[in-house]
Amino acid sequence: MAVGLKEKGITFYDVKDFNLEQTLTCGQCFRWKPNADGSFTGVIGTEVITAVQIGNAVMFYGAKAENAREMLSEYFDLERDYGAIKKILSQNDVFREAITYAPGIHILKQDPWETVCSFIISQNNNIKRIMGIIDRLCESYGQHIEGEHYCFPTAQTLSWLTVENLQPLKCGFRAKYILDAARRVANGQLILNELYDDTLDIAREKLMKVYGIGNKVADCSLLFGFNRLECFPQDVWIKRAVAALFPQGLPEYVLPYAGIAQQYLFHYVRMQPQVLEDSANPPKTK
DNA sequence: AGCCAGGGTCTGC
DNA sequence: GCAGACCATGGC
């Protein structure tokens, strides 16, 4: 059983436009695991959290911090009016379909360093394997919390390592990228907290000084780690979707929420790839 | 068995 | 500026 019966939880009643499962399995995070009872367990910062949704109520167990409620609300972006945003995006038929498929996706606000490091690992990789590498990274170099749960290793910790130290993780050519990012963060060449206040162009530029961070990883970091909702990361799936479904580009009214729109679209085309089977753009994959 | 994956860098035009 | 080779590894 994932949750002790006597453990006190934090409950958000009457959440709207939110689905825990959709949010945690749509490909924006890599450390939440489903339990047999329908709940999910993951680590936020230094705390092991188990979350469960019953209708419009979401309960979180395991949070010990004083400001846990606030922290959880921020992490899951529970205050934002997604209904209003979905209404705007739904003016477009494609986004309306994507939203209908998974209307409960929220953009998480994850730890910046964890997000940067995780999306470096994500490059030219598949989600299953990304999760395995990150598990091994945390188990090898993250602070132990309890049971099988570990913190994400700090940049300072990783900055001391060599590619040989990372070899058992099987992260391949990405090892040197992880180390460059860790060293830049540890020695102050890259100050992640600055990126909250920077313009998008400056923030991107700073991230892309890291060996191994290009446009896409920078945008994923800013979207999922800094809540920069106007970022529109383009991986292979989104590029395919844009080519097939938005040959003229995105509608203007989407741009302020392009990141949210992107996540609905990403999940939709990955789960329903047949929507990309357009006679004008025959997909390469059979 | 062979193509693909939430890409980026480097080289050569 | 752009195309193509190359990078590690394993999921499917």
Side-chain angles (χ1 to χ4, degrees):
Chain A
M1 169 161 242
V3 176
L5 277 179
K6 292 179 182 169
E7 192 171 347
K8 196 174 142 199
I10 294 176
T11 302
F12 292 83
Y13 297 96
D14 209 27
V15 293
K16 292 180 172 59
D17 304 296
F18 176 73
N19 183 283
L20 184 68
E21 190 259 345
Q22 291 169 10
T23 296
L24 294 179
T25 62
C26 70
Q28 60 177 319
C29 54
F30 306 104
R31 292 237 287 155
W32 287 87
K33 303 281 161 48
N35 300 308
D37 59 7
S39 62
F40 287 82
T41 298
V43 174
I44 303 179
T46 60
E47 301 195 322
V48 180
I49 306 291
T50 293
V52 62
Q53 178 166 23
I54 309 290
N56 286 335
V58 191
M59 285 85 86
F60 299 97
Y61 300 87
K64 298 178 174 117
E66 195 92 359
N67 63 338
R69 186 177 186 86
E70 206 182 319
M71 180 272 284
L72 290 163
S73 174
E74 177 182 295
Y75 184 91
F76 287 96
D77 204 16
L78 295 177
E79 292 297 312
R80 194 182 308 279
D81 186 355
Y82 277 76
I85 295 170
K86 288 192 289 184
K87 193 169 172 185
I88 294 171
L89 300 179
S90 294
Q91 296 173 77
N92 175 272
D93 291 343
V94 174
F95 285 125
R96 196 182 59 244
E97 284 300 313
I99 288 168
T100 302
Y101 180 74
I105 291 176
H106 276 202
I107 301 295
L108 297 173
K109 198 271 167 218
Q110 303 177 69
D111 173 74
W113 164 244
E114 174 171 346
T115 309
V116 167
C117 193
S118 295
F119 280 93
I120 286 173
I121 292 168
S122 80
Q123 67 171 268
N124 198 34
N125 210 341
N126 60 68
I127 291 179
K128 195 78 159 270
R129 211 169 77 86
I130 295 164
M131 295 207 258
I133 292 169
I134 292 175
D135 280 348
R136 293 190 287 278
L137 178 67
C138 295
E139 196 176 331
S140 302
Y141 297 110
Q143 186 188 327
H144 181 245
I145 306 173
E146 63 188 38
E148 61 198 281
H149 301 291
Y150 296 81
C151 295
F152 196 91
T154 64
Q156 285 71 23
T157 296
L158 297 181
S159 71
W160 295 104
L161 304 180
T162 65
V163 291
E164 289 76 27
N165 296 136
L166 295 181
Q167 210 286 330
L169 305 181
K170 300 296 182 186
C171 56
F173 60 85
R174 306 164 192 83
K176 53 188 181 292
Y177 301 157
I178 296 171
L179 295 183
D180 187 60
R183 288 167 188 166
R184 283 173 184 270
V185 169
N187 70 19
Q189 287 181 73
L190 173 60
I191 301 171
L192 292 175
N193 279 334
E194 289 179 356
L195 305 185
Y196 287 106
D197 301 320
D198 285 329
T199 65
L200 208 54
D201 285 341
I202 299 285
R204 249 192 219 115
E205 204 174 293
K206 286 180 178 176
L207 284 168
M208 287 171 61
K209 282 183 182 163
V210 175
Y211 183 41
I213 297 187
N215 230 298
K216 193 269 177 184
V217 172
D219 280 352
C220 281
S221 302
L222 290 167
L223 179 58
F224 303 125
F226 296 85
N227 229 243
R228 297 297 285 261
L229 302 183
E230 69 274 39
C231 280
F232 189 77
Q234 297 199 43
D235 74 310
V236 293
W237 287 98
I238 291 293
K239 282 177 182 165
R240 267 178 222 150
V242 169
L245 307 172
F246 296 97
Q248 335 273 9
L250 298 181
E252 191 118 353
Y253 53 80
V254 169
L255 300 185
Y257 314 104
I260 299 180
Q262 175 274 156
Q263 200 57 26
Y264 292 128
L265 186 60
F266 173 77
H267 189 54
Y268 179 51
V269 299
R270 232 168 57 87
M271 297 298 112
Q272 306 284 327
Q274 67 274 16
V275 305
L276 296 175
E277 287 173 20
D278 184 325
S279 55
N281 283 298
K284 272 172 52 178
T285 55
K286 141 164 138 23

